[in-house]
Amino acid sequence: MPPPSQEMLLKYRPWRGSFHGPSRAVWAIARVALGQMVHRKMFWSMYGLSLMIFLFFFFGQYLMFWLDTQISSQTFSGGSLFRNVPTQGLITFLKRGAQLDGSAQTFGNFIWFEGFIVVIVLAFVGSVIVGNDFHYGSLPFFLSKPITRWHYVAGKCLAVALFVNLMTTLPAIVLWVQYGLIDDFEYFIDNFHLLLGILGYGLILTVTLSLLLLATATWLRRTVPMVMVWMALFVLSRSIGRGLVDGMRFDPRWRLIDLWNDMYLIGHWIWGTPHQQLRPLSQAQPEYWQAAVVVVALWACCVVYLHRRIQAVEVVS
Amino acid sequence: MDSSSYLIELHHLSRRFGPVEALREVTLQLPPGRIGLLGPNGAGKSTLLKILMGLLPPTSGSGRVLNQPIGASTFGLEAAVQLRRLIGFMPEADALVPGMRGVDYVAFAGELYGLPRKHAQRRAHEVLTYLELEEARYRRVEEYSTGMKQRVKLAQALIHDPPLLLLDEPTSGLDPAGRDAMLRLLLELGRDHGKSMLLCTHLLADVETVCEQVVIVYQGQIRGQGSVRDLCARRHDRYRLQLQGDLAVYREELQLEGVKILHDNGQGDWRVQVPEGWVTRAFFALAENHQVIVRGLQRDDESLEEMFLRIIRKDSSA
């Protein structure tokens, strides 16, 4: 016979309390999805890599600034080849190459590199956070609750958004603040548009990647097809675009098939970078607005597809 | 009975999917309690469940579940939220979130229902303990046995203490012991804790064990409704007889009295169906008159399955 305390536990106990609204469920869904994401070992190795990129930019900016302010008037010698070489020349060379100067190009490059890691992680975890809900029939679990399909979509998108911003927008803001602190307070005022640009570029990445992840994971469900499709979208389409425009001299609009480049263009549009100053300078690029049209069209396609695929009526089979 | 005191009340409810009419003019009034929803595949049970949960609007007609309106005009988010908070749904499919521990899965369900996180966690432990899953609660749900999966699905339906449980094939895939345990739990929840439940199944024995009321759905229509006790009373009385002697005349005599011989193996083992008011003593009296020895007599009533099929066939032929 169980002891009295255990016997009480074994009895059904009613619950009386007040319910939260369905919007709270969005956070619960996002939290669980993030938990599923961080439980993958691959996530941590990629996170380590992204941290290395961040540290490269962080200390690179600091080093460039230090070189510029401390030893730009000096010369250096090295062996018999380099005698009294002016440091300013080296600094200018490094600045042009690395673009570690708190400019739009710095943040553009940083988000570009981090974005690739984000894409790799999402390609691998998409099946875990979304595909499994379809593959293992978990969707009825969500949709039988007092939430709509859009709460479900919002929850999953929020998880992706938190991850994307943790990897791109947040460290980019840290780099912006760092440069302001090592340079001058005036930097914050003069370059406030850069902060807005970082947030805008982050928003574009967030919306595009989260909708695309949900749509492709809903469609493909398993990891291997997901990875293949994402690699095709972000690597193969990029190679084809470059081959057509740079190699075969086709119209620059062919580069619009490169989704990653489209987001990069929108990012620079938000930063206000003149179109002719886009790097690399040798590459012909489509117009900013054309890239925006492609990305918005992709969003619309994803939303329509999700609307059709995530049906509450699937709850009862 | 006052209309507000019905558990489910439907008026001329229909649902059409293109040319297919999944539900036709369903009118139903069910008091609170344990109700079995019976019907073969494609009968319209699933469509009815979807409508009752507010997941699908009816094409026409109206209704109320726990006094919450269901219908196209009331299909807003707020109405659906209110309705589904009163319902705990246990799906037939696994519907588990892989990688989650049992207790986290149930607490997560609580949060989706709108429980504050701390309440959901505490309640998850309580419900899992009640359902005798306390030792497995920290294991991942995909490692659970079929019986444990069914119980954790029941736990997530109970987490917010709903007055109504919608159970879609709750004993599906269970072994006999697991099935008995699940039915015992459901019976206890209904009888001792006042939970109303709609048990959607094709297993009549489950309905007989758990439910007080039964609704038979066939071809999108309600073909029968009543208490399980009344339904059982409509069973045909049957017997198994083991006989020895001149059986030809005995057979004729029995048939004259209205007894139907359902099965005869040719070696004196018969299965018979007797008319209403038949007394077993009559078997012996007739046997004595015709030098037949009754070596064995055993009740062998029509099963609920047989009766269910009979009702459906009768309606179809009509």
Side-chain angles (χ1 to χ4, degrees):
Chain A
M1 193 176 167
S5 58
Q6 196 183 343
E7 195 178 22
M8 206 181 87
L9 268 176
L10 288 170
K11 284 184 181 152
Y12 183 80
R13 292 161 70 182
W15 178 79
R16 294 287 172 268
S18 52
F19 290 103
H20 287 312
S23 51
R24 288 281 187 106
V26 172
W27 170 238
I29 293 169
R31 204 186 59 236
V32 168
L34 273 176
Q36 289 172 318
M37 211 185 273
V38 300
H39 275 108
R40 304 278 288 202
K41 280 181 192 158
M42 193 266 303
F43 171 85
W44 290 107
S45 50
M46 296 309 284
Y47 188 74
L49 191 61
S50 88
L51 207 60
M52 282 169 65
I53 294 172
F54 170 72
L55 292 175
F56 171 80
F57 274 80
F58 188 86
F59 290 109
Q61 275 202 143
Y62 184 77
L63 182 69
M64 295 305 294
F65 190 83
W66 185 81
L67 287 172
D68 204 16
T69 52
Q70 302 295 317
I71 57 166
S72 60
S73 55
Q74 296 173 14
T75 58
F76 76 93
S77 301
S80 56
L81 280 174
F82 302 103
R83 284 177 194 277
N84 297 326
V85 178
T87 318
Q88 186 57 52
L90 180 68
I91 293 169
T92 309
F93 172 76
L94 285 173
K95 265 188 170 177
R96 277 191 193 149
Q99 292 284 318
L100 294 166
D101 53 1
S103 65
Q105 203 64 47
T106 308
F107 304 118
N109 287 345
F110 174 74
I111 294 177
W112 173 280
F113 287 124
E114 290 282 18
F116 268 113
I117 291 173
V118 168
V119 164
I120 293 168
V121 173
L122 290 181
F124 278 94
V125 301
S127 62
V128 178
I129 61 171
V130 181
N132 279 355
D133 291 345
F134 290 83
H135 188 74
Y136 293 103
S138 316
L139 203 58
F141 169 78
F142 292 97
L143 300 186
S144 62
K145 306 293 182 288
I147 59 170
T148 65
R149 66 182 122 180
W150 296 116
H151 289 104
Y152 170 80
V153 171
K156 298 289 181 180
C157 283
L158 180 61
V160 178
L162 288 172
F163 169 67
V164 170
N165 287 294
L166 185 76
M167 301 281 272
T168 56
T169 316
L170 190 67
I173 292 171
V174 172
L175 290 178
W176 182 79
V177 171
Q178 181 218 9
Y179 202 84
L181 291 176
I182 57 177
D183 183 14
D184 189 350
F185 191 76
E186 292 288 309
Y187 175 85
F188 293 126
I189 298 159
D190 296 343
N191 294 286
F192 189 70
H193 69 284
L194 290 181
L195 178 66
L196 297 179
I198 291 168
L199 294 172
Y201 194 178
L203 184 71
I204 298 294
L205 278 176
T206 302
V207 177
T208 309
L209 293 179
S210 48
L211 285 176
L212 193 65
L213 180 87
L214 251 78
T216 49
T218 304
W219 170 39
L220 300 161
R221 305 181 183 191
R222 310 303 301 141
T223 305
V224 174
M226 270 287 294
V227 172
M228 287 171 73
V229 166
W230 272 54
M231 289 304 117
L233 275 171
F234 291 105
V235 180
L236 185 66
S237 66
R238 181 166 175 72
S239 307
I240 294 171
R242 287 183 74 166
L244 291 174
V245 180
D246 300 335
M248 299 168 77
R249 302 287 166 203
F250 274 37
D251 190 285
R253 275 175 294 188
W254 277 101
R255 213 188 284 280
L256 290 171
I257 62 169
D258 178 0
L259 184 60
W260 198 244
N261 191 62
D262 295 338
M263 288 190 283
Y264 177 76
L265 289 178
I266 299 172
H268 277 282
W269 197 14
I270 299 168
W271 272 312
T273 309
H275 193 265
Q276 60 276 15
Q277 285 179 21
L278 280 171
R279 290 168 67 92
L281 298 170
S282 58
Q283 286 183 354
Q285 290 282 6
E287 295 296 328
Y288 285 140
W289 68 267
Q290 291 169 337
V293 167
V294 170
V295 170
V296 172
L298 180 83
W299 293 357
C301 290
C302 291
V303 170
V304 170
Y305 181 74
L306 289 171
H307 186 264
R308 290 170 66 92
R309 288 294 295 122
I310 302 173
Q311 300 265 349
V313 290
E314 287 179 7
V315 168
V316 188
S317 55
Chain B
M1 192 178 238
D2 176 20
S3 103
S4 63
S5 57
Y6 284 118
L7 179 74
I8 296 166
E9 196 182 1
L10 308 175
H11 297 289
H12 306 288
L13 201 92
S14 297
R15 176 68 208 194
R16 184 177 271 283
F17 296 103
V20 180
E21 200 161 24
L23 286 178
R24 270 187 285 172
E25 292 282 319
V26 171
T27 297
L28 199 60
Q29 286 175 328
L30 294 168
R34 307 184 297 278
I35 300 149
L37 185 64
L38 287 171
N41 288 340
K45 297 189 304 269
S46 301
T47 307
L48 188 57
L49 275 190
K50 286 171 201 173
I51 291 174
L52 293 179
M53 288 175 71
L55 297 171
L56 197 64
T59 313
S60 63
S62 63
R64 298 178 88 81
V65 176
L66 287 162
N67 225 15
Q68 297 290 323
I70 49 167
S73 58
T74 56
F75 221 62
L77 170 66
E78 195 52 41
V81 165
Q82 289 300 331
L83 178 62
R84 271 179 251 159
R85 272 191 190 145
L86 298 172
I87 295 172
F89 176 61
M90 178 181 173
E92 185 188 1
D94 264 1
L96 304 172
V97 182
M100 288 190 90
R101 301 179 307 172
V103 65
D104 296 333
Y105 172 76
V106 177
F108 180 39
E111 284 189 78
L112 294 180
Y113 275 115
L115 266 71
R117 194 174 175 200
K118 280 188 179 169
H119 287 232
Q121 285 172 329
R122 194 169 57 218
R123 176 91 182 141
H125 284 280
E126 283 177 12
V127 174
L128 287 172
T129 305
Y130 169 68
L131 295 176
E132 296 170 20
L133 277 176
E134 70 274 29
E135 284 178 16
R137 62 190 149 174
Y138 295 115
R139 276 169 56 189
R140 290 180 176 214
V141 286
E142 64 266 31
E143 294 168 4
Y144 281 10
S145 67
T146 311
M148 289 158 97
K149 280 179 183 169
Q150 292 295 82
R151 273 186 283 162
V152 84
K153 280 194 307 187
L154 180 61
Q156 63 85 31
L158 277 172
I159 181 85
H160 61 305
D161 193 27
L164 172 62
L165 291 169
L166 294 187
L167 310 163
D168 194 6
E169 305 281 359
T171 56
S172 171
L174 294 181
D175 59 24
R179 187 164 155 260
D180 286 349
M182 175 58 76
L183 293 176
R184 203 172 53 243
L185 266 173
L186 296 179
L187 186 64
E188 191 183 309
L189 279 168
R191 196 185 51 204
D192 302 344
H193 303 291
K195 298 279 169 225
S196 290
M197 58 185 74
L198 191 65
L199 180 67
C200 186
T201 181
H202 63 274
L203 299 171
L204 290 132
D206 289 5
V207 172
E208 195 178 10
T209 310
V210 175
C211 301
E212 305 153 304
Q213 296 276 315
V214 65
V215 176
I216 297 171
V217 191
Y218 186 62
Q219 292 180 335
Q221 290 179 309
I222 304 297
R223 293 296 173 96
Q225 182 197 342
S227 74
V228 174
R229 196 179 295 169
D230 289 346
L231 197 73
C232 291
R234 287 166 68 185
R235 277 179 184 174
H236 285 150
D237 291 338
R238 289 175 175 173
Y239 290 91
R240 267 181 199 283
L241 294 169
Q242 286 176 297
L243 305 164
Q244 199 177 339
D246 181 10
L247 300 182
V249 184
Y250 185 63
R251 174 195 286 264
E252 278 172 22
E253 284 291 323
L254 281 178
Q255 282 172 338
L256 280 173
E257 294 291 335
V259 175
K260 237 191 235 174
I261 314 293
L262 300 172
H263 179 72
D264 177 0
N265 72 348
Q267 293 172 342
D269 284 354
W270 291 4
R271 194 168 177 226
V272 299
Q273 183 178 301
V274 297
E276 223 170 292
W278 180 265
V279 284
T280 47
R281 219 178 315 131
F283 283 124
F284 296 97
L286 284 171
E288 201 176 334
N289 294 343
H290 298 93
Q291 283 81 46
V292 170
I293 301 166
V294 179
R295 289 169 50 226
L297 176 71
Q298 197 183 333
R299 258 196 102 98
D300 183 25
D301 285 342
E302 182 183 41
S303 70
L304 270 179
E305 274 87 348
E306 287 169 316
M307 187 181 63
F308 175 63
L309 286 172
R310 180 165 56 82
I311 291 170
I312 285 177
R313 278 193 200 124
K314 199 166 79 183
D315 282 4
S316 300
S317 62

